[in-house]
Amino acid sequence: MVNLVPIAILLGVALLLCIGILVVTTLLGPKNPVPSRLGTYECGVKPEGGAHIPFKSSFYLIAVLFLLFDVEAAFFLPWALVYKESLAQGPSLLWAMLIYLGLMTIGLAYILRKKILRLT
Amino acid sequence: MLISLKAFLPELTLVGFLAALFLLDGFIPKVRENRFPLIWVMVSCLAAAIATGAVKNMSGAFFSGMVASTGLTTFFRYFFLFAGGATAYLTLSSGEIEKRGRSEFSILLLCMTFGLSLMTLSNHFLMLYIGIETVSIISFVLAGFARESLRSNEASFKYLVYGGVCSGLMIYGISLIYGYTGSLAYPQIAEALLKNNGTHPFVFYFALFLVYAGFAYKISSFPFHFWTPDVYEGSPTPVATFFSVGPKAAGIGALLHFLMTALSQKDANGTWTLIQGINIAPVLALLSAATMVVGNLSAVAQTNVKRILAFSSIAHVGYVLMGFVVMTPAAFVSIIFYLIAYCAMNIGAFWIVGIVADQKGKEDLAAFKGLGWNMPVVGVCMAIFLFSLTGIPLFSGFIGKFLLFGALIQMPGYLWLALLGVLNSVISLYYYAKILRAIWLEKPEGTTGSVKLPMTQLVGLVGLAVPTIVLGLFFSPVLEMAQKWIAQ
């Protein structure tokens, strides 16, 4: 059996701290519920309008696509690191990357064709 | 590299067809106006099945040990391709997938079929995780495919939250296993476990349970089954049909491969024994029992037929988990047979729910009243599927259960589980019979005229009902094939 005592102590301290802070703040904290304090805090300025306003959903799509292509492009880095060594054993890694690139290009072509990146 | 690509040919075929569908849809907008995308899915599944036949003798590990192809993966590849193709076929006549969304639906369906294959092929935890995530993320989108339906959106969201939690648990478990064994590849994990010889059992079992969370979520086994009824009820019926067969079988296949290669050793006479110091059979037995009981008892009180079938699909996972308790070749053969039988009868039953929902606009028991008198073929087929799901003799479900129970009682100490399984079959008879009573013994509401069924639905339903009966009477060829797959 592993020695779990330190972990148990850590857990206990964390739990006590959480409960303690909650208890102490409810006991000691001044209670002064004026309406302005109960409102939404918006950088100190008086909040205006509702939070549920419509925004253009294409922004969301662009963000998702950026994330996708960013992550996909990140795969090139480790590939480039081992590429030179693997060339000695034949060009199979090059073909692998070209296939990958081809699949990505198909995705990009689809996106461009569907006019997703056009904001107007 | 080249040999790896060759062994990966069925999946490459799917990817090729998928990429082509993307391009076709992007550059020829007319494609989405008719049934072309769905037919394309069927064609690609057929092509991939031919490719599977071509590489079925290539067993071993490929892509530097990331994926492994065995006889079992050959079976599961065929299985997923059939499920994918069948789903595309039944979507042809379904009104729940809007016509302008057919292209996207087909693309997602094909991509999910690919992910399912990847799950069962994985021989490495990273690959398994990628496979599970491929399937999960597409599942979330498919569950919410009926965008205007509130229930569909709810299903998608619930699935997403559940999936996020379970995949988080699983990856935490994977990290613990990596810390414990020093590897993520199944064979190396087995080696390390042999050396460790059962030290620090707490860490190991905790990690194993967390990993099981990921599997359990995919197959909807007991502690992680809560999403199933809501998601199946909310998603469009073709999607629910696919969910109830594809990802479940993939989870079972991946779990089988994990148990067989990472946690056990194959000895000379072809049976698997768990590595010394690992004792998970009692836990699996309890999970199986709990899954069966929870699934069946929850189904009893339901009135929505799709929910009943969702709970029944949980119960069926409980039956299949029985086979994991024993881990003999006979048990694995019965799991394969059960999956084949379950695939035909469950797709059929869900399909009929979809047909009724299309006509009546709802899918509760009241909508099924007098269905047998309005649409006799549908009524008879539903009776066949439901009897088979119950496990009544003459139908394939009976043989599946019989084999599972038979494999289970070979192992001393698990008679109680087999008896519980029989008891559960009796409980399930109650709620299946409730549907049948509505179909045959009650008078139809409103219009009583007979409704003509489209040819595609007629052919498909009969095509699923016939194997359900035939496999119940003439099952030995399938068993022989399953034995061959297991031995390979």
Side-chain angles (χ1 to χ4, degrees):
Chain A
M1 195 68 189
V2 227
N3 189 9
L4 291 174
V5 175
I7 297 172
I9 292 174
L10 186 70
L11 269 179
V13 168
L15 206 67
L16 275 181
L17 201 65
C18 287
I19 296 170
I21 288 172
L22 279 175
V23 168
V24 167
T25 43
T26 34
L27 287 182
L28 299 181
K31 290 172 191 68
N32 185 20
V34 286
S36 62
R37 277 191 61 192
L38 295 175
T40 319
Y41 180 73
E42 212 171 79
C43 309
V45 188
K46 218 174 183 183
E48 248 181 69
H52 298 268
I53 47 162
F55 71 98
K56 219 170 153 56
S57 60
S58 48
F59 290 131
Y60 162 79
L61 266 180
I62 287 172
V64 167
L65 288 174
F66 168 74
L67 199 69
L68 265 177
F69 279 93
D70 198 41
V71 170
E72 282 177 349
F75 284 127
F76 282 87
L77 204 64
W79 172 80
L81 279 175
V82 294
Y83 177 60
K84 201 178 166 194
E85 290 156 37
S86 82
L87 257 189
Q89 292 151 18
S92 67
L93 207 59
L94 178 68
W95 286 115
M97 208 40 166
L98 282 179
I99 291 171
Y100 178 67
L101 199 62
L103 288 176
M104 269 173 75
T105 317
I106 289 176
L108 187 64
Y110 183 78
I111 291 164
L112 290 176
R113 181 75 194 172
K114 293 270 162 184
K115 301 182 179 121
I116 292 168
L117 293 181
R118 234 178 248 180
L119 280 179
T120 46
Chain B
M1 186 70 188
L2 214 60
I3 192 108
S4 296
L5 280 177
K6 200 181 161 206
F8 210 51
L9 193 63
E11 284 70 35
L12 288 182
T13 315
L14 279 183
V15 171
F17 274 90
L18 185 63
L21 185 56
F22 259 110
L23 290 178
L24 281 172
D25 179 45
F27 289 91
I28 311 172
K30 268 174 87 176
V31 158
R32 58 172 58 226
E33 282 167 18
N34 48 33
R35 293 168 169 177
F36 173 80
L38 291 169
I39 293 168
W40 185 263
V41 172
M42 284 185 262
V43 170
S44 44
C45 282
L46 193 68
I50 293 168
T52 308
V55 299
K56 66 176 180 219
N57 291 324
M58 294 181 71
S59 45
F62 299 101
F63 290 118
S64 36
M66 292 301 260
V67 303
S69 135
T70 58
L72 264 182
T73 55
T74 308
F75 159 68
F76 278 108
R77 275 166 166 168
Y78 281 132
F79 186 92
F80 301 138
L81 294 171
F82 174 77
T87 309
Y89 184 79
L90 69 92
T91 314
L92 281 178
S93 55
S94 165
E96 287 184 65
I97 302 295
E98 50 183 19
K99 286 204 169 62
R100 63 197 166 100
R102 270 182 182 152
S103 277
E104 281 82 8
F105 180 81
S106 308
I107 286 171
L108 291 171
L109 189 63
L110 257 188
C111 196
M112 190 152 160
T113 314
F114 169 78
L116 295 173
S117 274
L118 207 60
M119 263 173 84
T120 45
L121 280 170
S122 55
N123 196 34
H124 191 280
F125 265 129
L126 276 182
M127 213 62 207
L128 175 73
Y129 190 73
I130 291 173
I132 287 185
E133 283 304 291
T134 312
V135 173
S136 295
I137 291 171
I138 297 168
S139 307
F140 308 147
V141 182
L142 278 179
F145 207 79
R147 281 180 300 175
E148 272 103 48
S149 150
L150 207 59
R151 285 197 168 276
S152 185
N153 284 319
E154 182 191 329
S156 176
F157 184 68
K158 278 186 177 161
Y159 207 5
L160 175 72
V161 172
Y162 243 96
V165 171
C166 286
S167 97
L169 287 178
M170 186 184 200
I171 205 151
Y172 182 43
I174 291 174
S175 76
L176 283 179
I177 284 197
Y178 183 73
Y180 186 72
T181 61
S183 178
L184 287 176
Y186 292 171
Q188 273 87 313
I189 289 176
E191 271 172 35
L193 288 178
L194 269 175
K195 269 197 217 118
N196 281 6
N197 204 13
T199 47
H200 305 313
F202 174 74
V203 177
F204 180 64
Y205 285 123
F206 185 55
L208 218 52
F209 182 73
L210 291 177
V211 169
Y212 183 73
F215 287 117
Y217 152 73
K218 273 269 141 280
I219 66 178
S220 62
S221 136
F222 164 59
F224 304 97
H225 67 278
F226 296 99
W227 58 271
T228 318
D230 289 339
V231 169
Y232 286 11
E233 189 193 352
S235 358
T237 314
V239 175
T241 313
F242 194 53
F243 282 177
S244 72
V245 175
K248 255 182 207 201
I252 286 165
L255 189 58
L256 260 182
H257 189 66
F258 174 64
L259 282 180
M260 282 159 83
T261 48
L263 299 186
S264 18
Q265 282 179 304
K266 196 177 178 182
D267 51 23
N269 50 20
T271 54
W272 286 264
T273 40
L274 286 170
I275 290 168
Q276 188 103 46
I278 301 176
N279 191 13
I280 50 170
V283 184
L284 278 173
L286 280 179
L287 285 171
S288 155
T291 311
M292 279 189 292
V293 172
V294 167
N296 276 321
L297 289 186
S298 318
V300 166
Q302 301 299 327
T303 53
N304 183 317
V305 176
K306 224 159 144 192
R307 271 183 98 82
I308 294 181
L309 287 178
F311 279 116
S312 102
S313 81
I314 298 176
H316 283 282
V317 168
Y319 300 133
V320 171
L321 279 178
M322 279 182 186
F324 286 85
V325 177
V326 254
M327 300 216 19
T328 53
F332 292 146
V333 166
S334 54
I335 289 176
I336 287 186
F337 187 87
Y338 201 85
L339 284 177
I340 294 173
Y342 173 79
C343 175
M345 59 202 185
N346 210 50
I347 289 181
F350 266 99
W351 192 354
I352 290 173
V353 176
I355 292 172
V356 172
D358 268 352
Q359 283 191 351
K360 306 257 168 91
K362 52 183 183 177
E363 54 218 10
D364 50 358
L365 279 172
F368 279 76
K369 272 185 190 164
L371 180 75
W373 306 105
N374 287 346
M375 295 191 274
V377 179
V378 173
V380 170
C381 286
M382 192 64 168
I384 292 171
F385 297 138
L386 291 181
F387 279 139
S388 182
L389 282 167
T390 321
I392 283 175
L394 291 185
F395 299 102
S396 59
F398 169 72
I399 305 296
K401 273 186 188 159
F402 181 78
L403 289 170
L404 274 172
F405 296 159
L408 189 67
I409 55 174
Q410 300 289 321
M411 182 121 151
Y414 288 104
L415 191 62
W416 63 272
L417 187 58
L419 288 177
L420 194 69
V422 175
L423 192 69
N424 266 290
S425 303
V426 178
I427 300 174
S428 70
L429 181 61
Y430 170 73
Y431 58 81
Y432 289 132
K434 220 161 62 172
I435 307 175
L436 283 179
R437 196 187 64 185
I439 291 178
W440 285 107
L441 298 181
E442 288 182 32
K443 288 225 168 66
E445 279 175 349
T447 52
T448 46
S450 65
V451 182
K452 203 164 182 307
L453 213 56
M455 201 57 191
T456 48
Q457 291 179 346
L458 203 68
V459 170
L461 282 178
V462 173
L464 288 169
V466 166
T468 306
I469 298 176
V470 169
L471 283 181
L473 301 167
F474 185 62
F475 46 85
S476 47
V478 179
L479 291 187
E480 273 163 28
M481 216 139 61
Q483 267 152 3
K484 215 176 70 194
W485 281 324
I486 293 287
Q488 195 186 339

